[in-house]
Amino acid sequence: MTSTTPTSAPAPRTGAPGTAGAPSAADSGTWVLGDRTVHRLGFGAMRLPQTGRALVPGAVPRDREQAVSVLRRARDLGVNHIDTAAFYFSPLLSANELINRALAPYPDDLVLTTKVGPGRDPSGRWLPHGAPGDLRGQVEENLRQLGRDHLDVVNLRVVDEGSVAEHFGALAALRDAGLVRHLGLSNVRAEQLEEARSLAPVVCVQNPYGLGAAPGQDALLRLCGEYGIAFVPFYAIAGRGRQNGAAGPGREHLPPEAVGSGASAAQIRLAWTLSRGPHVLAIPGTGDPAHVDANVAAGALRLGAPALAALDTLHVRLGRERAEEEARTGPSASADGR
């Protein structure tokens, strides 16, 4: 099977990140994703094509040159793992095409991870989830937009609790055909991961996770670690704000042991997320060049034991409150295709 293992990590640092010159994604450590070594602090492209809420019809397009500059800045800071999808677009901009314009010809160390399953029509409205026979077309759409002849990693986005065998089997066939190098899963449960692993190697699981995440996600994170599978949280900063942007606790609501580092609330949340295991990879997204530097700097932040313990306690409490709320009102509907 494909090896997915951690490699060397930098010497731990404490205190506010980014205070000694430009930050570097290398400070977050590395992980071997399939057969490619990536820095654990990556970049998510969902927010690039628009300002404000993402993945909705009529989203306000971002300035094209600003989006391109964000991608190039991320690369300058050592980011070599970018998460994207063909359905990340606004009326005028597509994340994949922005990546192509900003970064092609692609550096040898750059790993582009895409996802398939969801689809949007040209106006931005969601289409029915793709059937197994639709996945080749979705893979080819990503290839066209990115200007590639193969995709490094493709995640199957799952939208229900049923079997993933037909869909994942279709992707495994595309891997055998050479269109895809490695396969992953997104928004899955443990039993779906087990089913997929029986069909083909799984190199990553991309699920919603961060401070206050649903309690079941912690068990899946640990299971991925046992299998040597990368766990890649999305919405680690946005939390329950999802495609609307950050909605997690601000500095005033974080434990005093954590805010003493001088880092921002977003940086603390990212650093805590990375602390959950050497197999955890973060992919914070932004369209703001200044936020790129701040996010990458979070990869160098090493929270001390008192701060981690206090944040762990907060995580459990927020997760319990979330579970109690969803028991009363039902789980939040997924309206973003993730």
Side-chain angles (χ1 to χ4, degrees):
M1 289 181 61
T2 304
S3 172
T4 312
T5 56
T7 58
S8 60
R13 299 185 184 183
T14 57
T19 56
S24 171
D27 290 334
S28 63
T30 57
W31 180 265
V32 179
L33 186 61
D35 60 353
R36 307 290 300 282
T37 299
V38 298
H39 296 137
R40 294 179 61 216
L41 199 295
F43 181 84
M46 184 186 74
R47 307 207 65 81
L48 269 183
Q50 71 288 307
T51 62
R53 190 179 183 191
L55 305 175
V56 292
V60 179
R62 188 175 300 278
D63 177 80
R64 186 181 302 274
E65 293 309 314
Q66 179 182 349
V68 167
S69 71
V70 164
L71 287 163
R72 290 176 176 165
R73 180 58 178 168
R75 276 296 301 166
D76 288 344
L77 298 179
V79 169
N80 61 359
H81 174 214
I82 296 178
D83 174 79
T84 185
F87 55 85
Y88 290 173
F89 64 86
S90 66
L92 299 180
L93 299 178
S94 154
N96 281 350
E97 291 166 340
L98 287 167
I99 291 168
N100 191 339
R101 174 175 174 179
L103 303 180
Y106 297 112
D108 291 340
D109 71 327
L110 180 62
V111 174
L112 298 178
T113 298
T114 62
K115 66 182 64 63
V116 295
R120 298 168 67 199
D121 69 19
S123 68
R125 296 182 180 86
W126 289 107
L127 297 169
H129 200 71
D134 298 326
L135 299 185
R136 183 183 185 105
Q138 292 185 354
V139 164
E140 291 171 343
E141 181 180 24
N142 280 279
L143 290 170
R144 287 192 299 272
Q145 292 176 355
L146 290 168
R148 302 289 297 271
D149 57 10
H150 71 273
L151 299 175
D152 298 321
V153 183
V154 172
N155 287 320
L156 173 66
R157 169 64 156 107
V158 179
V159 294
D160 56 35
E161 301 176 13
S163 170
V164 299
E166 287 191 56
H167 286 80
F168 201 73
L171 285 183
L174 296 180
R175 188 186 71 125
D176 293 343
L179 295 181
V180 178
R181 294 190 67 168
H182 302 291
L183 302 178
L185 295 163
S186 176
N187 201 48
V188 293
R189 295 171 175 262
E191 57 270 23
Q192 293 169 321
L193 171 59
E194 299 287 8
E195 183 180 36
R197 290 183 68 242
S198 72
L199 300 172
V202 176
V203 302
C204 58
V205 167
Q206 189 183 93
N207 269 27
Y209 188 79
L211 272 174
Q217 296 298 329
D218 285 299
L220 186 57
L221 182 153
R222 291 190 294 270
L223 181 64
C224 287
E226 293 171 8
Y227 286 148
I229 294 172
F231 187 84
V232 188
F234 59 83
Y235 298 144
I237 295 178
R240 300 182 74 178
R242 301 176 70 87
Q243 72 267 34
N244 295 316
R251 277 176 57 88
E252 69 276 14
H253 299 299
L254 292 173
E257 298 91 337
V259 298
S261 67
S264 70
Q267 288 174 323
I268 292 168
R269 292 199 292 272
L270 281 174
W272 176 84
T273 299
L274 288 170
S275 78
R276 303 298 280 176
H279 65 300
V280 177
L281 313 181
I283 49 169
T286 183
D288 185 330
H291 288 170
V292 176
D293 284 60
N295 289 343
V296 171
L301 176 61
R302 302 295 186 268
L303 300 167
L308 288 173
L311 289 167
D312 290 349
T313 299
L314 176 64
H315 172 63
V316 171
R317 177 173 65 79
L318 293 175
R320 181 172 60 247
E321 292 173 356
R322 174 176 182 165
E324 292 170 352
E325 178 185 342
E326 292 185 349
R328 294 191 304 270
T329 64
S332 301
S334 174
D336 59 6
R338 293 297 302 259

